[in-house]
Amino acid sequence: MLQKLMMLLTLIVLIPVNAQESDKSAIVLELFTSQGCSSCPPADELLEDIKKKHKDQNVVVLSYHVDYWNRLGWKDPFSTSIFSDYQRSYAQQFRSRSIYTPQLVVNGSEHFTGSDRYKADIALKKYSKASANSTILIKEIRQESSHIVFNYRVNGESFNTITLALVVSERITNISKGENRNRTLKNTNIVANRIVKKEESGSVSLTIPDWVSENDELSVIAYTQDKTLKTTGATKLALLK
C-alpha cells in the first residue's frame, strides 16, 4: 500500500489555500484529543464544523492525538507521546497543574474545553481582527521515497519556532474497546507528523507514517510561534493528486 502511495505522490501538485499575507489575520486551533476519551467526540465534531465553515479563510485546525488514554483499553492509532509533551508545554505557559482532553488551544493564547462552541465562536471573532506578524512561504515540494520534502521561508517580524506539519484531512474509525467502545468516530486534520525549526528558511523532510493510505487527502500546515507559544503567522496548503 505504501508503494502505491509513493507512486501517487509523485503526481502531487501543491495548491495554496488562501496563502497568508502579512496584513491578514491567522487563526490556529489545536485540539488535543484521543479516541480513548469519551468526552472527545463532540470536540472532534466541532473542529470539523470550524474547518468547513472557514475553509476559505486563513483559519487552520489541527488534531493532536495524545497517548495517555491508551492505557484504558484502546490504543489511538494516531497518538504519540510527542504530542502529549507538546500539550504539557502549553500547560506550563498557561500555568495549568494538569493536562486534559479535549483541550482546544487558540493561537497559543487561550484554551478551553474543546467542545465549547460558544467560546470557540468568541475566539474566532476575536482573533480575526488581529494581524499576523509573519508570512510563511512553502515551495519546491516533492516526494522522495517515503517522505514529503519541501523548502520554506518566513518573512516578517522575528519568531521563536516554526511548526511544519503533515496533516491527514479525515479518518473514520470503528472503536472496539475503551470508553468509546462500539462507536464510530470521525477525526479531522489529524497531525501525522511534524517538525519544529527555528531558522527563517530551510529544507524539510517529513516522514509519511505507515498508517497513511493512498486514499487519504494530505495537506501541509505551517505556523510560527513566539517564546510563549503564541501564534504569529500561519498558512495551509492542500496536496492534490
Side-chain angles (χ1 to χ4, degrees), residues 8-61:
L8 287 171
L9 286 175
T10 60
L11 301 177
I12 276 179
V13 177
L14 184 65
I15 304 296
V17 182
N18 281 336
Q20 183 200 321
E21 298 177 2
S22 58
D23 61 345
K24 299 293 182 65
S25 63
I27 306 177
V28 176
L29 299 100
E30 300 168 287
L31 176 65
F32 293 93
T33 186
S34 171
Q35 291 183 344
C37 159
S38 62
S39 58
C40 285
D44 298 324
E45 292 173 5
L46 174 57
L47 198 72
E48 180 185 13
D49 291 346
I50 293 172
K51 175 185 174 181
K52 290 180 178 178
K53 183 177 180 180
H54 300 276
K55 64 180 181 179
D56 296 325
Q57 302 169 29
N58 198 34
V59 176
V60 299
V61 304

Side-chain angles (χ1 to χ4, degrees), residues 53-142:
K53 183 177 180 180
H54 300 276
K55 64 180 181 179
D56 296 325
Q57 302 169 29
N58 198 34
V59 176
V60 299
V61 304
L62 305 102
S63 293
Y64 281 106
H65 287 241
V66 298
D67 70 335
Y68 48 84
W69 283 94
N70 291 352
R71 65 184 183 275
L72 298 182
W74 176 260
K75 184 177 180 180
D76 189 326
F78 314 129
S79 66
T80 171
S81 60
I82 295 174
F83 299 160
S84 300
D85 290 340
Y86 179 40
Q87 188 183 24
R88 292 186 182 96
S89 297
Y90 270 128
Q92 293 178 356
Q93 292 298 325
F94 294 137
R95 298 182 180 179
S96 301
R97 295 183 178 181
S98 60
I99 55 178
Y100 65 94
T101 55
Q103 180 187 35
L104 188 61
V105 177
V106 185
N107 270 18
S109 300
E110 61 180 277
H111 70 100
F112 45 85
T113 302
S115 56
D116 194 323
R117 290 179 179 270
Y118 177 73
K119 288 186 177 180
D121 286 342
I122 290 178
L124 285 164
K125 292 177 182 177
K126 172 182 176 182
Y127 293 105
S128 66
K129 300 176 182 178
S131 297
N133 297 324
S134 302
T135 300
I136 304 169
L137 302 176
I138 296 176
K139 57 183 180 179
E140 299 175 7
I141 192 165
R142 61 194 183 277

Side-chain angles (χ1 to χ4, degrees), residues 167-190:
V167 173
V168 173
S169 180
E170 65 178 41
R171 272 295 185 88
I172 297 175
T173 308
N174 296 318
I175 310 299
S176 60
K177 300 178 181 179
E179 290 194 357
N180 288 314
R181 183 179 58 179
N182 297 327
R183 298 186 66 177
T184 299
L185 304 183
K186 184 176 182 180
N187 296 114
T188 298
N189 273 23
I190 306 158

